[in-house]
Amino acid sequence: MISYGKQSITQADVDAVVAVLNSDWLTQGPKVPEFERAICDYVDCQYAVAVNSATSALHIACLALQVGENDLVWTSPISFVASSNCALYCGAKVDFVDIEPNTGNMCAKALEAKLAHAKTMNQLPKVVIPVHLAGQTCDMEYISKLSKIYGFSIIEDASHAIGGKYYDKPIGSCTYSDITIFSFHPVKVMTSAEGGVALTNNSALARQMQMLRSHGVTAEDDEMTEPSHGPWYYQQVCLGFNYRMTDLHAALGLSQLKKVDSFVTRRHQLANIYNQLLDSRLVTPLNQVDNRYSAYHLYIILLNEPNKTLHHTLVSGLRDKGIIGHVHYIPIHLQPYYKEMGFKPGEFPNAERYYQSAVTLPLHPDLTQDQVKYVVKTVHDILG
Ligand SMILES: *Cc1c(COP(=O)(O)O)cnc(C)c1O
């Protein structure tokens, strides 16, 4: 079986985790801050708050940006449901901005048009969450300009994108956003088993997210509203959660972070082989834009025409041959839970057309060239 995405684990990763098991701290020890510092150095950002998943990171990022009831959060319909659920956790309302068909990313022009309209209705979003599909950034320069004109905050859902770059700056530097999120789920570019991180250059946001990940509790005198009772004292100052990352997970993350560049290089090599071998009369890979270096979390091809039947035949046919192709993503607004909120088919036509043509082929560092050839041959056989 060839899966669409998978972790790459070596003895060094195993040793790093075992060392923590034999240490004094399984959680709340030194590995989490060490991991946070290493990520900051890697992406050139000031603060990192490691948590138990990217979903948790998105939640506390929204809370830190004071998303609450009556607020609006906009994201892309072509993403994992976590990108929009985070707003619902805060009691806010969600809306979507349609994608650009050739990259699958949120279309900045569509965002601009939607903002202009929302302004006339006095319904501007508080936060916009661009999602860097497959590891290639959105047009962050443009989106950031719009944020200044229309006064919204930006959370980059870069769950796919650690190791990617934008104009030679690492994704995660928060040059064009308030907060950036990475996921370390095993199918992503690098893993901590479960885990995620929220990055920011704003110390107040970082501190708020640190408190939110651990019950809303502080042990710092200057953050307390009443005098300390003594050295054992802590105070709850807001409603937080237990979203902490453990030291075991952080140790794995640290060990994997050392390899992230080689993972991404390998992903590019394999993607290039796909690009060369795939029959361009039938499919095209997601467009790679100049000045954007993808982390290539996913290798996504598009049928040259959306075709529900052929799309189904292709993904099922691959699975029959032991190749776990996938579809990233089912448009979020078409999920039953979202339809119950009032979203309807036809609202985001580019996303819906994309859904009938996008197929994710296997891509991960341990995939071999022969396996890529086998996948390509199988795709061609099925398409005829
Ligand atoms: C995987 C993913 C998430 C959630 O990540 P977890 O770490 O599994 O919570 C959020 N957004 C996107 C775009 C993802 O791909």
Side-chain angles (χ1 to χ4, degrees):
M1 203 181 71
I2 306 176
S3 61
Y4 82 86
K6 185 173 170 290
Q7 71 278 12
S8 172
I9 298 290
T10 60
Q11 191 59 40
D13 297 315
V14 175
D15 293 346
V17 175
V18 171
V20 173
L21 273 172
N22 288 319
S23 79
D24 287 341
W25 303 92
L26 301 187
T27 189
Q28 294 179 281
K31 284 293 163 190
V32 172
E34 202 183 314
F35 184 38
E36 290 173 336
R37 271 193 306 276
I39 294 174
C40 282
D41 288 346
Y42 180 70
V43 300
D44 195 14
C45 188
Q46 272 185 282
Y47 306 98
V49 181
V51 285
N52 58 359
S53 72
T55 304
S56 303
L58 285 162
H59 184 196
I60 61 173
C62 284
L63 288 174
L65 291 168
Q66 306 196 4
V67 171
E69 263 172 60
N70 301 323
D71 288 326
L72 275 160
V73 173
W74 293 0
T75 187
S76 169
I78 296 298
S79 187
F80 187 53
V81 291
S83 303
S84 53
N85 285 346
C86 56
L88 303 180
Y89 297 155
C90 305
K93 280 203 168 134
V94 169
D95 202 354
F96 301 96
V97 179
D98 210 353
I99 59 162
E100 42 183 26
N102 59 343
T103 65
N105 276 335
M106 175 187 284
C107 174
K109 285 220 164 68
L111 172 62
E112 184 168 27
K114 195 175 173 98
L115 287 163
H117 180 67
K119 188 170 180 187
T120 66
M121 318 268 287
N122 205 15
Q123 294 207 323
L124 285 168
K126 184 160 207 168
V127 172
V128 173
I129 308 181
V131 180
H132 304 326
L133 186 73
Q136 176 173 237
T137 71
C138 300
D139 189 347
M140 291 312 299
E141 211 172 17
Y142 196 155
I143 295 172
S144 158
K145 267 186 206 147
L146 294 173
S147 76
K148 294 190 175 107
I149 300 169
Y150 291 96
F152 57 85
S153 301
I154 299 175
I155 302 171
E156 292 175 70
D157 184 344
S159 290
H160 300 181
I162 190 168
K165 292 192 182 104
Y166 184 48
Y167 292 112
D168 291 328
K169 269 237 160 202
I171 295 171
S173 68
C174 295
T175 309
Y176 299 97
S177 62
D178 299 278
I179 298 171
T180 300
I181 301 302
F182 290 140
S183 170
F184 305 125
H185 183 279
V187 296
K188 305 289 161 77
V189 176
M190 57 159 270
T191 190
S192 65
E194 294 280 0
V197 71
L199 293 145
T200 183
N201 289 311
N202 178 316
S203 61
L205 287 177
R207 184 62 194 132
Q208 191 63 27
M209 291 192 288
Q210 282 169 350
M211 281 202 264
L212 286 165
R213 83 171 154 190
S214 197
H215 309 284
V217 154
T218 180
E220 304 291 328
D221 282 350
D222 60 354
E223 289 173 346
M224 293 186 185
T225 55
E226 291 169 20
S228 170
H229 299 179
W232 67 89
Y233 192 61
Y234 56 85
Q235 209 175 64
Q236 186 185 346
V237 293
C238 63
L239 184 62
F241 310 88
N242 182 350
Y243 283 169
R244 289 188 304 260
M245 176 179 275
T246 76
D247 280 50
L248 293 166
H249 294 87
L252 178 55
L254 261 168
S255 175
Q256 289 261 305
L257 186 62
K258 293 183 188 135
K259 297 182 278 192
V260 72
D261 285 337
S262 65
F263 286 163
V264 173
T265 303
R266 176 71 181 153
R267 286 170 175 276
H268 273 260
Q269 282 168 352
L270 294 169
N272 285 334
I273 298 174
Y274 272 126
N275 290 343
Q276 280 160 19
L277 297 180
L278 280 165
D279 186 333
S280 62
R281 288 168 306 172
L282 305 168
V283 293
T284 46
L286 272 195
N287 190 28
Q288 300 296 304
V289 183
D290 284 351
N291 295 318
R292 301 185 202 175
Y293 178 74
S294 178
Y296 260 122
H297 160 49
L298 301 171
Y299 185 79
I300 298 176
I301 54 167
L302 304 170
L303 298 177
N304 279 345
E305 280 297 319
N307 181 329
K308 206 169 169 175
T309 313
L310 188 59
H311 184 250
H312 187 281
T313 304
L314 179 52
V315 183
S316 322
L318 286 168
R319 290 194 176 211
D320 291 343
K321 299 283 182 188
I323 299 165
I324 309 302
H326 217 298
V327 182
H328 295 91
Y329 287 93
I330 305 154
I332 299 175
H333 68 287
L334 300 183
Q335 293 288 354
Y337 187 79
Y338 280 80
K339 282 202 271 194
E340 259 181 48
M341 281 185 271
F343 289 104
K344 293 192 176 56
E347 276 189 82
F348 304 99
N350 288 349
E352 292 170 37
R353 284 170 60 82
Y354 168 95
Y355 177 52
Q356 289 175 14
S357 69
V359 178
T360 303
L361 299 181
L363 181 65
H364 56 82
D366 294 346
L367 200 69
T368 65
Q369 204 160 324
D370 284 345
Q371 285 175 316
V372 171
K373 286 183 183 155
Y374 172 64
V375 173
V376 171
K377 181 181 180 304
T378 310
V379 169
H380 289 164
D381 287 349
I382 295 167
L383 291 176

